[in-house]
Amino acid sequence: MLQISDSHLGGRPGETLLGLDTDESLQDVLQRLRQREQHADYVVATGDISSNGQMAAYERFLRSMESGYGRPLAWLAGNHDRDQSMCTFPRERVARELVELDHWQLILLNSSLPGHEHGLIGDQELQRLEQQLQGCDKHALVFVHHQPVLVGSRWIDQYVIRNAGALLGLLSRYPHVRALCWGHVHQDFSSRWGHFGLYSAPSTCIQFKPRCDDFALDTAMPGYRWFDLHANGELQTGVERTAEKSYAIDFASGGY
């Protein structure tokens, strides 16, 4: 399966984020998927699909995924999204909250908090997570938008999930949890927490430079994270990026 994140599409085609045409970079990622990931079974999009929560952006994203790659898709909301708008799309077209595979369950949580940049997992979401883990002993991957741990960049680590301790503590009680995965940080990060892995995915548009106290963009190309999931619970994962290309990115920007 594959994880993509933070596409930041505008309401109209060709809108840019810090100089980068986010539709163009998404298409470049989809081209890479067609080249490298012909055998993938599922795609999870971990938030910030849109830059401003416009319905036109969500519709265009879904059309791009359907025509450009054609794999089953699930999504969750990021801090730039409008969750209520995303919930209006039929589940036959894009899944939410849970995906059941033969030996695995993919659990999607909403960490977005309207009007705020930081993340928070609500009590109902934590209850839903625990009920799902109690009721199914399949190997589990859990997806959120915001990072649950510090990634080493002070400016974005201020937007960590505020009650991450509750989330990590809950997951630690269930040995069939294999990984917790997120977007938001626009960079590759991997670590471990007890018996499960911690992984972020790069953005399909601009990349944030790792280990920076202040906002800074990276020259790394847009990308995605791949997972090979085995019936016995083992997994392999890594990050793949698009081919080198010159985008019109404002690397001198101090934020967005």
Side-chain angles (χ1 to χ4, degrees):
M1 62 148 294
L2 307 171
Q3 179 191 3
I4 63 172
S5 201
D6 297 88
S7 297
H8 286 273
L9 299 187
R12 294 174 296 179
E15 290 189 24
T16 63
L17 179 63
L18 299 183
L20 174 63
D21 182 331
T22 56
D23 285 272
E24 177 186 0
S25 61
L26 176 60
Q27 292 302 320
D28 291 340
V29 170
L30 291 177
Q31 180 180 11
R32 198 68 163 186
L33 295 182
R34 292 191 298 270
Q35 293 171 342
R36 298 291 183 92
E37 310 294 346
Q38 297 179 2
H39 302 293
D41 297 303
Y42 223 98
V43 181
V44 174
T46 49
D48 283 358
I49 309 298
S50 168
S51 280
N52 49 19
Q54 292 193 23
M55 288 292 292
Y58 298 127
E59 178 60 42
R60 200 166 71 257
F61 176 82
L62 290 179
R63 288 202 311 268
S64 293
M65 295 300 300
E66 290 161 354
S67 63
Y69 191 50
R71 299 299 191 278
L73 175 70
W75 66 9
L76 55 81
N79 51 289
H80 288 273
D81 286 314
R82 186 172 298 160
D83 185 55
Q84 289 182 331
S85 297
M86 295 172 69
C87 288
T88 63
F89 291 89
R91 293 178 184 270
E92 294 78 14
R93 194 175 183 193
V94 56
R96 305 186 301 273
E97 297 184 347
L98 179 68
V99 174
E100 292 275 10
L101 305 176
D102 288 343
H103 303 284
W104 289 77
Q105 54 180 327
L106 313 179
I107 304 173
L108 284 68
L109 300 177
N110 186 358
S111 64
S112 63
L113 189 63
H116 297 274
E117 295 292 314
H118 66 262
L120 184 76
I121 308 294
D123 290 342
Q124 289 186 338
E125 285 291 85
L126 289 173
Q127 292 170 8
R128 178 173 68 85
L129 171 62
E130 184 146 36
Q131 289 171 357
Q132 184 61 35
L133 291 174
Q134 287 177 342
C136 181
D137 59 2
K138 290 181 180 180
H139 316 299
L141 289 186
V142 180
F143 294 88
V144 293
H145 176 67
H146 296 81
Q147 72 268 38
V149 297
L150 303 180
V151 299
S153 295
R154 187 175 62 182
W155 73 270
I156 200 166
D157 278 336
Q158 65 184 311
Y159 305 126
V160 70
I161 295 173
R162 294 293 169 86
N163 61 339
L167 173 62
L168 293 166
L170 191 161
L171 296 177
S172 296
R173 298 198 296 269
Y174 294 92
H176 54 294
V177 173
R178 300 305 183 195
L180 174 59
C181 316
W182 63 90
H184 189 59
V185 297
H186 290 229
Q187 61 189 261
D188 173 18
F189 175 90
S190 62
S191 185
R192 293 198 65 80
W193 187 276
H195 65 272
F196 57 88
L198 301 173
Y199 305 106
S200 73
S203 168
T204 68
C205 61
I206 58 172
Q207 310 299 303
F208 297 153
K209 192 172 183 179
R211 296 176 296 280
C212 289
D213 286 343
D214 300 317
F215 180 91
L217 295 178
D218 199 3
T219 57
M221 290 292 102
Y224 60 92
R225 178 171 286 280
W226 56 264
F227 295 87
D228 286 342
L229 307 179
H230 301 272
N232 65 358
E234 293 182 2
L235 69 82
Q236 288 84 42
T237 184
V239 163
E240 179 75 21
R241 297 185 184 272
T242 62
E244 289 292 326
K245 183 177 181 179
S246 180
Y247 296 107
I249 299 174
D250 180 11
F251 287 99
S253 175
Y256 73 99

